[in-house]
Structures are given as structure tokens and as C-alpha cells.
Amino acid sequence: SQTIHQWPATLVQPVGSPLSLECTVEGTSNPNLYWYRQAAGRGLQLLFYSVGIGQISSEVPQNLSASRPQDRQFILSSKKLLLSDSGFYLCAWSKLAGSTGELFFGEGSRLTVL
Amino acid sequence: GNSVTQMEGPVTLSEEAFLTINCTYTATGYPSLFWYVQYPGEGLQLLLKATKADDKGSNKGFEATYRKETTSFHLEKGSVQVSDSAVYFCALYGNKLVFGAGTILRVKS
């Protein structure tokens, strides 16, 4: 069966510090991978998606970046965090090209920027 | 572009009450429709889906019917439990997945 893991689960970082959130998927090959952010009291915002190694599409301009160094690994990074980066970050994967719209989500990473 | 509108919450119900969470959408073509659920402190998981008009998705006592004439996909459950307390997201898929803002459901015992 397929599984998806994110870490760390909780992170408290000062403004201006770097960020690295990691996500890995097991039990499937060539997944589409996604990073979403869920700000407090708001819905889900798609940040990045990837259809293959080294292929990253950005949905919104921001000081975050994403990388996919391996088929089943997706990393969310920042060189300098802002207060507005606080939120709940969710990694997700889908089969094929997301053709069914069904996503499988990780447990989430809660980031607090102070 | 495609969009999803959900009723604002929070929705607070007593155990065994009837639940309706409204969802309407705007889309070109014939999207697939979904309800996802997020339990406290967790990621989202798919609750149910419908891929064409008049389809009814169902799971865990929840139901939703794809109504093209009213562009709606309302979530219903006949008798809610405390364990149903969560955030519910309506979503549509045309060429990408678009989520609604989410509706918080609180069920009191």
C-alpha cells in the first residue's frame, strides 16, 4: 500500500531563518506531488506541484521554493522566513497526472514563525 | 476560472442531529466533485466523490449528490456523532483540484 510521510510535524522558527520541510511517498512510482498551505481559519492554497523529478510548477509568487530531487521526495524550502509563512503545510500525491482529482495527503507540518 | 463556495461555519450540532453542509461550484465543462475531511491535527482524507451529474457519493453515513442543474454538491448525514467533528472541504476537479474554504463541524454530546 502507498504511504506518505512529512516531517517535521511541528516547527517553531524565528523570522529570517531558513526552512526545510520534507515529504516522501512510498509504494508508488511517478506520483504527482503537491505542497499546500492552510493558514489559520482559511482554506487550502496550492503552492507547488510536480509531475516529475526536477519539474516544479509554482502557483503563487512567494519566498518559498520547492524541489524534487528524487521521484518520491518533495522538499519545501525558504531562505528567510516571514511571519506570514506561518501555517499548516500539507504534502499530497496523486496517481497519474491527477486525472481523477483524488489526492492523498500527509499528516501535515505546523510551522510557527515568531 | 473554476471555484467552490461552501457555507461558512462553524456548524454546531447535537449528537444524532441531521447535518447539511452546502457546497456550490462554478466550472466549465463537467468536473468531478469531492468532499474531503480533516480531523483535528491531521491531513485531509477523501470522504466521498462523484464524477458525473446525478451521481451520489457515499461513505461512513455521509452522502452528496452531484446536481448539475443547481451546480451543487451538498453534504448530508442523517445522524451525526461526536467523532464527526472535523473540517469538511468541498472540491472540484477540472484540470486541477480546487478547494472550498472549509466548514468546521462541531458535534456536542
Side-chain angles (χ1 to χ4, degrees), chain B residues 3-8 20-26 32-36 64-67 70-76 88-92 98-103:
Chain B
S3 66
V4 176
T5 302
Q6 291 181 234
M7 64 187 291
E8 290 191 20
T20 299
I21 299 178
N22 291 336
C23 170
T24 57
Y25 67 90
T26 301
S32 296
L33 300 174
F34 303 82
W35 278 101
Y36 282 82
T65 301
Y66 190 145
R67 302 287 188 197
T70 54
T71 61
S72 65
F73 193 54
H74 304 323
L75 182 68
E76 296 181 337
Y88 292 82
F89 292 91
C90 186
L92 71 81
V98 176
F99 285 92
T103 302

Side-chain angles (χ1 to χ4, degrees), chain B residues 7-109:
Chain B
M7 64 187 291
E8 290 191 20
V11 174
T12 303
L13 296 172
S14 298
E15 210 164 20
E16 300 184 1
F18 184 85
L19 168 71
T20 299
I21 299 178
N22 291 336
C23 170
T24 57
Y25 67 90
T26 301
T28 56
Y30 304 93
S32 296
L33 300 174
F34 303 82
W35 278 101
Y36 282 82
V37 59
Q38 183 181 30
Y39 297 105
E42 299 182 8
L44 279 71
Q45 56 185 277
L46 180 65
L47 180 60
L48 54 84
K49 66 179 181 182
T51 58
K52 61 183 186 295
D54 300 325
D55 268 1
K56 177 185 285 186
S58 62
N59 186 25
K60 299 181 180 180
F62 290 89
E63 293 183 340
T65 301
Y66 190 145
R67 302 287 188 197
K68 189 165 180 62
E69 63 277 12
T70 54
T71 61
S72 65
F73 193 54
H74 304 323
L75 182 68
E76 296 181 337
K77 186 175 185 181
S79 176
V80 294
Q81 305 300 312
V82 172
S83 57
D84 293 325
S85 298
V87 183
Y88 292 82
F89 292 91
C90 186
L92 71 81
Y93 182 80
N95 58 356
K96 66 178 182 179
L97 196 59
V98 176
F99 285 92
T103 302
I104 297 172
L105 171 65
R106 297 176 180 146
V107 181
K108 304 180 299 182
S109 59

Side-chain angles (χ1 to χ4, degrees), chain A residues 88-104:
Chain A
F88 193 51
Y89 289 82
L90 289 160
C91 182
W93 71 274
S94 68
K95 298 177 182 178
L96 300 174
S99 58
T100 67
E102 183 172 350
L103 298 187
F104 302 88

